[in-house]
């Protein structure tokens, strides 16, 4: 089987599995979701996260890297996991940078984490990738090899993959159209959109609108225009930034008084 078909198969598995893991993490463990609601973790409408698809492809390829030049077996494995985690972190950084620089959208934000780089990557999540690399190597990699071998004997599954990529392509076009609207708004207002904060603001605004319509018994559409949602988000973001600036000024003034 060609390498391209293998990577396409791994991308499918990684994207869907990663979406499920992120969905469960945000539902039950994430501090950013205190209400414990089900939240789509991706910027696409469907159940897949391309970042995890690319990451699984990277883990599959790098798991076979020859590190025999390291004499100690334990150090050899640690070195391999560090290489695997570094490559996945690089993928994460490139993806984040493309959206921030090219689209003015920040899909995730590690700004509050120690030693972060541009809020895109940080040591904490690189450590998570090291742990996941070890889990992948010892628990999952052999299963992935078996799955790839299974695909070579059941090439009819390629039709399922073709259907997946057809739906994925339509979803990508739809989502990129939304992203382009956000990008234009961000460019006009000279801001970078926090994508998760925008989604949360839209969700809350729609819930408030539905509650208001129930109270008034007024039957209208359940959704507010996307342009209005962006304006509401920008206003709230400006207020938040002004509040943060005022707090910093007040704290600085207190320090001067003490001195």
């Amino acid at each position: 089987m060609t390498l391209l078909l293998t990577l396409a198969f791994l991308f499918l598995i990684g994207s869907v599995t990663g979406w499920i893991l992120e969905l469960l993490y945000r539902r039950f463990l994430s501090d950013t979701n205190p209400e414990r609601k089900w939240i789509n973790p991706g910027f696409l409408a469907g159940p897949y996260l391309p970042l995890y698809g690319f990451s699984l492809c990277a883990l599959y390829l790098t798991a076979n890297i020859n590190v025999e030049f390291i004499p100690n077996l334990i150090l050899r494995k640690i070195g391999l996991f560090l290489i695997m985690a570094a490559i996945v972190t690089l993928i994460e950084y490139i993806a984040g940078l493309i959206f921030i620089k090219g689209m003015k959208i920040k899909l995730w934000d590690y700004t509050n984490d120690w030693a972060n780089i541009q809020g895109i990557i940080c040591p904490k999540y690189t450590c998570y990738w090291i742990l996941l690399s070890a889990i992948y190597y010892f628990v999952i990699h052999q299963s992935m090899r078996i799955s790839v071998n299974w695909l070579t004997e059941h090439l009819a599954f390629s039709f399922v993959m073709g259907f997946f990529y057809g739906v994925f392509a339509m979803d990508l076009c739809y989502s990129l159209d939304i992203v382009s609207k956000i990008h234009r708004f961000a460019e006009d207002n000279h801001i970078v959109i926090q994508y998760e904060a925008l989604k949360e603001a839209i969700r809350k605004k729609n819930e408030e609108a539905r509650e208001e319509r129930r109270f008034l018994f007024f039957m209208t559409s359940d959704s507010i225009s996307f342009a209005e949602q962006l304006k509401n988000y920008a206003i709230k973001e400006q207020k938040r930034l002004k509040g943060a600036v005022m707090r910093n000024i007040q704290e600085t003034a207190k320090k001067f008084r003490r001195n």
Side-chain angles (χ1 to χ4, degrees):
M1 184 175 55
T2 64
L3 179 61
L4 182 61
L5 187 57
T6 298
L7 295 178
F9 179 61
L10 293 171
F11 181 86
L12 185 160
I13 295 174
S15 297
V16 174
T17 304
W19 184 88
I20 293 171
L21 291 175
E22 280 283 344
L23 184 72
L24 295 174
Y25 173 78
R26 297 188 186 212
R27 174 66 172 82
F28 297 107
L29 299 175
S30 178
D31 295 333
T32 60
N33 182 23
E35 298 176 2
R36 297 305 176 207
K37 291 182 176 291
W38 293 104
I39 299 173
N40 181 357
F43 81 96
L44 296 170
Y48 23 71
L49 282 173
L51 178 63
Y52 282 85
F54 288 119
S55 297
L56 181 60
C57 291
L59 290 176
Y60 180 83
L61 293 174
T62 53
N64 298 315
I65 289 178
N66 188 347
V67 289
E68 296 295 326
F69 60 90
I70 302 176
N72 185 281
L73 179 61
I74 295 176
L75 292 178
R76 195 180 301 159
K77 297 303 180 188
I78 292 174
L80 178 61
F81 301 150
L82 288 173
I83 293 170
M84 294 167 74
I87 291 174
V88 174
T89 300
L90 179 62
I91 292 172
E92 186 178 23
Y93 180 74
I94 292 171
L97 203 62
I98 288 171
F99 272 86
I100 292 174
K101 298 297 184 182
M103 302 293 184
K104 301 294 183 183
I105 298 173
K106 185 172 274 191
L107 293 179
W108 59 87
D109 189 7
Y110 301 153
T111 302
N112 295 325
D113 290 299
W114 175 78
N116 73 87
I117 299 176
Q118 297 174 265
I120 303 174
I121 57 174
C122 66
K124 182 175 79 172
Y125 287 93
T126 298
C127 289
Y128 288 161
W129 281 119
I130 294 172
L131 178 60
L132 287 173
S133 296
I135 293 172
Y136 171 82
Y137 184 86
F138 290 116
V139 180
I140 302 173
H141 184 59
Q142 189 59 33
S143 298
M144 286 295 100
R145 297 180 67 175
I146 293 171
S147 298
V148 169
N149 290 333
W150 175 87
L151 182 61
T152 61
E153 299 171 1
H154 300 82
L155 289 178
F157 187 75
S158 299
F159 290 103
V160 177
M161 291 173 57
F163 176 79
F164 167 83
Y165 279 103
V167 174
F168 179 81
M170 291 188 291
D171 191 341
L172 186 62
C173 291
Y174 167 77
S175 299
L176 287 177
D177 179 58
I178 294 175
V179 166
S180 66
K181 293 176 182 176
I182 299 174
H183 175 240
R184 284 196 297 271
F185 180 85
E187 286 280 0
D188 292 341
N189 291 272
H190 308 290
I191 59 174
V192 173
I193 300 291
Q194 300 279 351
Y195 193 69
E196 291 298 323
L198 175 62
K199 286 199 301 184
E200 181 64 14
I202 290 174
R203 183 186 67 79
K204 287 183 177 179
K205 197 68 179 178
N206 283 336
E207 285 182 356
E208 290 171 5
R210 282 195 291 271
E211 289 298 324
E212 184 179 351
R213 279 189 279 272
R214 288 193 191 101
F215 179 74
L216 296 173
F217 299 101
F218 186 65
M219 299 302 293
T220 59
S221 170
D222 271 349
S223 60
I224 300 171
S225 71
F226 191 61
E228 186 178 344
Q229 297 282 19
L230 286 170
K231 288 178 182 177
N232 290 334
Y233 166 81
I235 292 169
K236 288 182 178 179
E237 190 67 11
Q238 287 172 359
K239 289 180 179 178
R240 184 185 69 81
L241 291 173
K242 285 180 181 177
V245 170
M246 289 302 298
R247 284 193 296 273
N248 288 335
I249 292 172
Q250 290 170 358
E251 289 173 3
T252 303
K254 287 178 182 178
K255 289 178 181 178
F256 276 116
R257 289 195 201 103
R258 291 194 195 103
N259 295 333

